[in-house]
Amino acid sequence: RSETVLCSARASVLLYDDTHKQWVAAGGGPQTLSCVQLYHHPTANAFRLVGRKMQPDQQVVLNCPLGRGLRYSQ
């Protein structure tokens, strides 16, 4: 069975650059909105986040599995 989308949101995707100690826009170039979706694979009971730029090329800027024990800090 394939993955299903549980929810979707528009967001600015930023990645932390350890070298420069700052947040930078994912995918390079200027910061733009992305469509970020939460996927669920029921057979494996696995989750992942996928973000695609909301531009014609729909570049993937985020593809991250969410593992058990993940800690979130706002």
Side-chain angles (χ1 to χ4, degrees), residues 18-35:
D18 282 325
T19 304
H20 297 101
K21 306 293 185 207
Q22 65 182 4
W23 292 95
V24 295
Q31 183 176 340
T32 60
L33 283 179
S34 297
C35 177

Side-chain angles (χ1 to χ4, degrees), residues 7-43:
C7 62
S8 179
R10 292 180 185 187
S12 295
V13 178
L14 302 172
L15 301 175
Y16 192 72
D17 181 347
D18 282 325
T19 304
H20 297 101
K21 306 293 185 207
Q22 65 182 4
W23 292 95
V24 295
Q31 183 176 340
T32 60
L33 283 179
S34 297
C35 177
V36 178
Q37 296 176 304
L38 175 62
Y39 284 86
H40 178 239
H41 190 289
T43 305

Side-chain angles (χ1 to χ4, degrees), residues 4 20 22 24 41 45 50 55 57-58 61 67:
T4 56
H20 297 101
Q22 65 182 4
V24 295
H41 190 289
N45 195 27
V50 176
Q55 295 176 340
D57 67 351
Q58 294 187 347
V61 293

Side-chain angles (χ1 to χ4, degrees), residues 40-65:
H40 178 239
H41 190 289
T43 305
N45 195 27
F47 297 87
R48 69 183 175 114
L49 286 174
V50 176
R52 292 181 180 89
K53 282 190 177 182
M54 296 183 70
Q55 295 176 340
D57 67 351
Q58 294 187 347
Q59 177 188 2
V60 174
V61 293
L62 176 70
N63 188 352
C64 177

